PDB file of all heavy atoms in Angstrom:
ATOM      1  N   ASN A   7      -1.923 173.881 -58.545  1.00 59.00           N
ATOM      2  CA  ASN A   7      -0.745 174.474 -59.135  1.00 59.00           C
ATOM      3  C   ASN A   7      -0.472 175.824 -58.421  1.00 59.00           C
ATOM      4  O   ASN A   7      -1.055 176.846 -58.817  1.00 59.00           O
ATOM      5  CB  ASN A   7      -0.947 174.651 -60.628  1.00 59.00           C
ATOM      6  CG  ASN A   7       0.293 175.233 -61.299  1.00 59.00           C
ATOM      7  OD1 ASN A   7       1.335 175.383 -60.739  1.00 59.00           O
ATOM      8  ND2 ASN A   7       0.131 175.558 -62.574  1.00 59.00           N
ATOM      9  N   TRP A   8       0.437 175.825 -57.500  1.00 53.00           N
ATOM     10  CA  TRP A   8       0.727 176.975 -56.653  1.00 53.00           C
ATOM     11  C   TRP A   8       1.451 178.082 -57.469  1.00 53.00           C
ATOM     12  O   TRP A   8       1.457 179.219 -57.115  1.00 53.00           O
ATOM     13  CB  TRP A   8       1.487 176.639 -55.403  1.00 53.00           C
ATOM     14  CG  TRP A   8       0.632 175.922 -54.478  1.00 53.00           C
ATOM     15  CD1 TRP A   8       0.622 174.536 -54.285  1.00 53.00           C
ATOM     16  CD2 TRP A   8      -0.360 176.398 -53.619  1.00 53.00           C
ATOM     17  NE1 TRP A   8      -0.335 174.184 -53.378  1.00 53.00           N
ATOM     18  CE2 TRP A   8      -0.917 175.311 -52.928  1.00 53.00           C
ATOM     19  CE3 TRP A   8      -0.823 177.668 -53.371  1.00 53.00           C
ATOM     20  CZ2 TRP A   8      -1.952 175.507 -52.032  1.00 53.00           C
ATOM     21  CZ3 TRP A   8      -1.872 177.858 -52.422  1.00 53.00           C
ATOM     22  CH2 TRP A   8      -2.402 176.710 -51.806  1.00 53.00           C
ATOM     23  N   GLU A   9       2.122 177.714 -58.574  1.00 55.00           N
ATOM     24  CA  GLU A   9       2.874 178.702 -59.302  1.00 55.00           C
ATOM     25  C   GLU A   9       1.931 179.670 -60.065  1.00 55.00           C
ATOM     26  O   GLU A   9       2.271 180.800 -60.360  1.00 55.00           O
ATOM     27  CB  GLU A   9       3.772 178.021 -60.367  1.00 55.00           C
ATOM     28  CG  GLU A   9       4.991 177.326 -59.774  1.00 55.00           C
ATOM     29  CD  GLU A   9       4.643 175.944 -59.261  1.00 55.00           C
ATOM     30  OE1 GLU A   9       3.657 175.290 -59.762  1.00 55.00           O
ATOM     31  OE2 GLU A   9       5.289 175.514 -58.282  1.00 55.00           O
ATOM     32  N   SER A  10       0.679 179.285 -60.295  1.00 54.00           N
ATOM     33  CA  SER A  10      -0.208 180.133 -61.006  1.00 54.00           C
ATOM     34  C   SER A  10      -1.102 180.953 -60.087  1.00 54.00           C
ATOM     35  O   SER A  10      -2.040 181.588 -60.538  1.00 54.00           O
ATOM     36  CB  SER A  10      -1.094 179.334 -61.953  1.00 54.00           C
ATOM     37  OG  SER A  10      -1.946 178.464 -61.170  1.00 54.00           O
ATOM     38  N   VAL A  11      -0.818 180.913 -58.789  1.00 53.00           N
ATOM     39  CA  VAL A  11      -1.670 181.554 -57.843  1.00 53.00           C
ATOM     40  C   VAL A  11      -1.498 183.038 -57.814  1.00 53.00           C
ATOM     41  O   VAL A  11      -2.397 183.830 -58.004  1.00 53.00           O
ATOM     42  CB  VAL A  11      -1.485 180.950 -56.445  1.00 53.00           C
ATOM     43  CG1 VAL A  11      -2.254 181.715 -55.438  1.00 53.00           C
ATOM     44  CG2 VAL A  11      -1.923 179.536 -56.439  1.00 53.00           C
ATOM     45  N   ILE A  12      -0.298 183.488 -57.498  1.00 53.00           N
ATOM     46  CA  ILE A  12      -0.076 184.937 -57.286  1.00 53.00           C
ATOM     47  C   ILE A  12       0.597 185.491 -58.547  1.00 53.00           C
ATOM     48  O   ILE A  12       1.606 184.929 -59.041  1.00 53.00           O
ATOM     49  CB  ILE A  12       0.774 185.146 -56.031  1.00 53.00           C
ATOM     50  CG1 ILE A  12       0.017 184.646 -54.799  1.00 53.00           C
ATOM     51  CG2 ILE A  12       1.127 186.615 -55.865  1.00 53.00           C
ATOM     52  CD1 ILE A  12       0.711 184.687 -53.593  1.00 53.00           C
ATOM     53  N   ILE A  13       0.104 186.580 -58.987  1.00 52.00           N
ATOM     54  CA  ILE A  13       0.672 187.271 -60.166  1.00 52.00           C
ATOM     55  C   ILE A  13       1.666 188.329 -59.685  1.00 52.00           C
ATOM     56  O   ILE A  13       1.261 189.310 -59.047  1.00 52.00           O
ATOM     57  CB  ILE A  13      -0.484 187.924 -60.990  1.00 52.00           C
ATOM     58  CG1 ILE A  13      -1.452 186.863 -61.440  1.00 52.00           C
ATOM     59  CG2 ILE A  13       0.090 188.651 -62.181  1.00 52.00           C
ATOM     60  CD1 ILE A  13      -2.710 187.360 -62.009  1.00 52.00           C
ATOM     61  N   ILE A  14       2.910 188.130 -59.938  1.00 52.00           N
ATOM     62  CA  ILE A  14       3.935 189.072 -59.500  1.00 52.00           C
ATOM     63  C   ILE A  14       4.305 189.980 -60.637  1.00 52.00           C
ATOM     64  O   ILE A  14       4.714 191.165 -60.414  1.00 52.00           O
ATOM     65  CB  ILE A  14       5.208 188.288 -59.047  1.00 52.00           C
ATOM     66  CG1 ILE A  14       4.868 187.301 -57.983  1.00 52.00           C
ATOM     67  CG2 ILE A  14       6.251 189.266 -58.597  1.00 52.00           C
ATOM     68  CD1 ILE A  14       4.734 187.787 -56.625  1.00 52.00           C
ATOM     69  N   GLY A  15       4.154 189.620 -61.894  1.00 57.00           N
ATOM     70  CA  GLY A  15       4.472 190.359 -63.041  1.00 57.00           C
ATOM     71  C   GLY A  15       3.663 191.641 -63.247  1.00 57.00           C
ATOM     72  O   GLY A  15       3.145 192.215 -62.221  1.00 57.00           O
ATOM     73  N   PRO A  16       3.435 191.993 -64.418  1.00 70.00           N
ATOM     74  CA  PRO A  16       2.684 193.266 -64.692  1.00 70.00           C
ATOM     75  C   PRO A  16       1.218 193.114 -64.210  1.00 70.00           C
ATOM     76  O   PRO A  16       0.614 192.035 -64.321  1.00 70.00           O
ATOM     77  CB  PRO A  16       2.722 193.401 -66.150  1.00 70.00           C
ATOM     78  CG  PRO A  16       3.080 192.065 -66.723  1.00 70.00           C
ATOM     79  CD  PRO A  16       3.831 191.357 -65.669  1.00 70.00           C
TER      80      PRO A  16
END
Side-chain angles (χ1 to χ4, degrees):
N7 183 7
W8 290 101
E9 288 81 30
S10 65
V11 172
I12 299 177
I13 300 169
I14 306 281

